[in-house]
Amino acid sequence: MLPDEGGVLVDLLVHGQPVLASTPWAHEVAPSNRPAATEDEWVARWRGGWQLCFPTAGQVNPNARPLEGFHGVASQTPWLTVSQSSESVALGWSDRNGLWAERAWRVTEHGVVVATRAGNDGDETRVLAIAEHLILGGDVLAEPLTLEVEPSVMLRPLDYAGLPDGDLMPWPGAPDDRWLTVDAATPARVAALQHVKPQLVTATGPHVRATVSWQGDALPHALLWQELGASTDHPWNGEVVAFGIEPTSTPHGGGTALDDGLVRLPPGGELTWNVKLTVAWTKESS
């Protein structure tokens, strides 16, 4: 856990095996008090792992006030450590306009759970796009995975910037697109899962079962980000192996400039949600 870098859970071992993505440039990252102004700047600071994109997720809206950063000011700037034990840590963040968030992380036998409470103590309604930037990697992606999602879920392809790039269709989309499978042949791509009920996505391989589950009306959707070494341009260089299952308030990565699913939090308003990652290995893999 790195409170100075957006409260990111940068590494997680489940029964001794790594389960979160890590970037090749992670050892070069230095903390910053300034939000990333662009996607390239944010990626250069990204070690991998799991952090909260807040108060916006995705692209910067140049017309927003207060000014935004890519993936939100809170995703890479410092959080305050409120309390800490061997199995848990509580963090807090706030801005000068009265918006705040509290996150309580707790390690479980098979993963981790985080409970979040956010509120607006300011005088103006705040427009939010929220995403749990939960990126699987490590041993979870060592074998082909099959995705399990409730059949009623709708799928919308997005471009690599997170903007809508195709028709809304029932999960799992066209057979040739292979959204059910995550493996070495999967292209670099992003999609939105809309109205996920129950709030559950599972990835199953021959020796692993990883489940992301969440509760809270603030996050009715999820994004899938698949980057299994397919992007060869800098800084990816074909070396980043990552699979995001990201509960989100908005069915896109367009930030607050795209008015679809945005949260409007009035003065005195609060939101709560929790997200759980559970990873189970078979005996053959441990």
Side-chain angles (χ1 to χ4, degrees):
M1 179 69 63
L2 299 176
D4 287 345
E5 297 180 35
V8 59
L9 178 63
V10 73
D11 190 25
L12 177 66
L13 301 180
V14 177
H15 296 172
Q17 297 180 252
V19 301
L20 296 178
S22 179
T23 60
W25 57 88
H27 64 285
E28 302 171 358
V29 173
S32 175
N33 291 322
R34 181 176 58 83
T38 66
E39 182 173 1
D40 286 348
E41 186 179 351
W42 196 93
V43 169
R45 295 187 203 168
W46 181 54
R47 297 178 186 267
W50 175 1
Q51 62 267 94
L52 176 66
C53 296
F54 186 83
T56 187
Q59 303 299 319
V60 176
N61 178 0
N63 298 317
R65 297 293 182 271
L67 295 175
E68 296 179 349
F70 180 82
H71 270 345
V73 175
S75 68
Q76 289 186 334
T77 55
W79 288 60
L80 175 68
T81 301
V82 178
S83 63
Q84 189 169 2
S85 71
S86 60
E87 296 182 350
S88 65
V89 60
L91 304 174
W93 174 90
S94 63
D95 70 11
R96 64 183 62 187
N97 299 101
L99 190 67
W100 54 268
E102 300 172 345
R103 280 166 75 77
W105 292 88
R106 179 174 55 85
V107 175
T108 67
E109 181 181 0
H110 299 291
V112 67
V113 60
V114 59
T116 303
R117 188 166 71 103
N120 181 10
D121 290 343
D123 298 326
E124 303 289 337
T125 294
R126 297 294 296 269
V127 179
L128 313 175
I130 307 165
E132 293 280 354
H133 198 257
L134 193 174
I135 313 299
L136 298 172
D139 289 349
V140 172
L141 300 184
E143 55 191 34
L145 301 174
T146 299
L147 296 186
E148 301 173 26
V149 176
E150 177 65 29
S152 63
V153 168
M154 300 296 286
L155 171 76
R156 168 159 282 167
L158 307 176
D159 66 18
Y160 217 54
L163 300 176
D165 189 34
D167 295 331
L168 189 65
M169 63 191 80
W171 171 264
D176 290 347
D177 291 337
R178 299 179 68 248
W179 281 105
L180 283 173
T181 304
V182 182
D183 59 20
T186 298
R189 59 186 180 178
V190 187
L193 301 180
Q194 296 197 16
H195 304 293
V196 184
K197 290 286 186 179
Q199 294 172 314
L200 182 75
V201 179
T202 299
T204 304
H207 303 112
V208 65
R209 183 176 178 86
T211 300
V212 177
S213 58
W214 64 101
Q215 296 178 325
D217 294 339
L219 307 178
H221 314 293
L223 300 186
L224 298 180
W225 173 45
Q226 299 174 347
E227 175 53 78
L228 278 74
S231 293
T232 58
D233 55 319
H234 181 78
W236 312 102
N237 299 326
E239 298 174 343
V240 176
V241 178
F243 174 35
I245 302 176
E246 308 174 48
T248 180
S249 63
T250 57
H252 56 77
T256 59
L258 183 57
D259 193 358
D260 182 2
L262 299 181
V263 176
R264 288 171 169 82
L265 190 63
E270 290 192 9
L271 300 168
T272 60
W273 67 89
N274 64 70
V275 183
K276 184 177 184 180
L277 170 63
T278 302
V279 180
W281 310 97
T282 65
K283 293 181 179 179
E284 290 83 354
S285 65
S286 59

